[in-house]
Amino acid sequence: MHRALYIPEVLQLVLSSDVSRVTLRDAALTCSLWQDAALDQLWKDLDSVLPIIWVLVPIFARRRESYEKTTRWTADDGVFPTAGGWIRLEKYARRVRTLVFDVYPQTGDRIPLNLLQTIAQFRPSGKYLLPNLRQFTYNARELGSVHALLPFFIFLGPSITDLKLLEIDPMVEGRFLEYIAQRVPHVQHLLIEGSRYPYREGSSALASSLIQLEKLKSFDAPHIALIPAVWDAMAQHPSLVSAGLWLLPPSFHAPGFQPRVFAKLESLAFRANFSTLCQLFESQNDLPTITRVAVLARSAKHGGKDLHRLCELLVQKLPMLAHVELASPSSESRDDVPLGFEDFRPLVQCKKLQHFVLEHAWGVSVTINQLEALLDAWPGIETFALQYAVSEKHPGMGVSRAEWKPPTLPLSVLDNIAAKAPKIKQLRLVLDATTPINSTSSICERQFECLEELDVTLSTVAQPAKVASYLARRCKKRFSLKFFLSRHLSREAAGIMDGEKTKWDQVEDHLKLLFDQKEILEEEFKRKLEEERAKYMRE
């Protein structure tokens, strides 16, 4: 054995570098020196509770039918965890840091819930099943009270800092939050996903839980309605940095939101109509700590007018705003039109903006001059996106290609963007690459210095090789090129866009080839330069 493998740090680095679970198991059986390091990696991240059950009780797989995608595991009646099983489990359980548990997985291994009930019943008192667990993801599959809570309860412990609850039945959501406050007091990041529709009953439980979870830094509960009690609890929280909720129109008899001052809150994410969100911000004084706002609007009716008012309020109330995401994926009217520059013009006053994303069901229409005005106003912009919002009711449905002409910018607009914002990292636009590329020599010299991703939506392209050559000259380094095709277009439009996606795949292939050739030439140039330098030094 190489002497380097006797060093614990080197061995740990080798075993943690994308090694298969079978290899880790074999390494643990190789020698006593490797055993602990290999077992640490083998048990560190579990995507099923099967290994834990296997250590405690003898289980076997039931016969699997050809149509089944899951393997059902069971145990003989009257089989219980023994004292030796619990001692054996301690050796492995202390190594677990991440656990994913799906009550009814669509694929993989399925554990009967009555077996978990048996384990919970015979668990030694005063001991946690996974004492060092940090991240726990639990998918309840919308089960009812008893069946959903028990599997969740037995894995909870004070060591958990990152907790994700998926597909939670709204009727038991309050009980889940009570357990979290009691059993996971040190949780820092909390995600709860439940019904598609806003749920007011869970709001009161969330408000009381926020007060008890003093170390919570972020929570995302997009289906829980934001009520004044939750808003007040967020303001009182000493460490809360990020929050995501559903904002409903105010009830006639419900108390309104009072002006609040937040200690550390930096990020807000809402599902709300633009008009409802305007009412919330109108009720508040300045919110200097908030730098990020994300809004998923549930309706686009009168979207432009409400959006303009919301942008005005964002400028007035959030002086440190640097991150804005506004999306309106649904449209109530087939006669709606794309958003225009005037609809979000007030944001030009946000001089510190670094991230701007605007999505609308009918797209966003701007001219090159207006685009340049935005980039002039935001000198530090790193992410810029004007695109379509994907929706089940996409405007392209039932609209023929001749009737619906999406707002696009010419591909040559990248020259203008590179000149105005050369340090931009992510760019998502609707581009048209059918017209010839005519770039002036002065602008053509400018390149993106930091571009990492270019996303193209609903675009047409001609001559993929020329387009790839043009894109390669726009950037100093490799970047990811993506083409997005909405699944909700009419069949005619989708067929045309599928053809365009094939062309963009060709553009990406040409682009990779060009960058490969560029890197080869650069390496060859460096090698010859070093040879000339060495020759000069010898002389």
Side-chain angles (χ1 to χ4, degrees), residues 398-414:
V399 181
S400 69
R401 187 69 176 171
E403 295 174 354
W404 180 44
K405 295 183 178 180
T408 57
L409 289 165
L411 185 64
S412 58
V413 75
L414 296 179

Side-chain angles (χ1 to χ4, degrees), residues 90 123-129 183:
E90 288 183 4
R123 181 180 58 180
S125 60
K127 290 188 176 181
Y128 295 100
L129 200 62
R183 304 273 297 185

Side-chain angles (χ1 to χ4, degrees), residues 258-274:
Q258 299 299 317
R260 293 290 180 253
V261 177
F262 297 90
K264 293 185 178 180
L265 190 64
E266 297 178 2
S267 177
L268 282 174
F270 294 108
R271 289 191 180 189
N273 294 338
F274 290 146

Side-chain angles (χ1 to χ4, degrees), residues 74-116:
T74 187
D76 293 330
D77 294 336
V79 174
F80 307 106
T82 62
W86 288 111
I87 295 173
R88 189 166 58 251
L89 178 64
E90 288 183 4
K91 177 182 178 181
Y92 305 110
R94 61 184 173 82
R95 307 175 192 270
V96 180
R97 298 295 184 271
T98 303
L99 175 65
V100 178
F101 180 33
D102 192 335
V103 175
Y104 291 129
Q106 305 301 312
T107 58
D109 301 308
R110 179 178 294 187
I111 306 297
L113 297 183
N114 60 346
L115 189 56
L116 293 174

Side-chain angles (χ1 to χ4, degrees), residues 69 74 129 133 200 215 251 256 302 462 464 467 498:
K69 297 182 179 180
T74 187
L129 200 62
L133 185 64
R200 293 183 184 271
K215 295 188 178 182
S251 302
H302 310 304
V467 173
D498 275 329

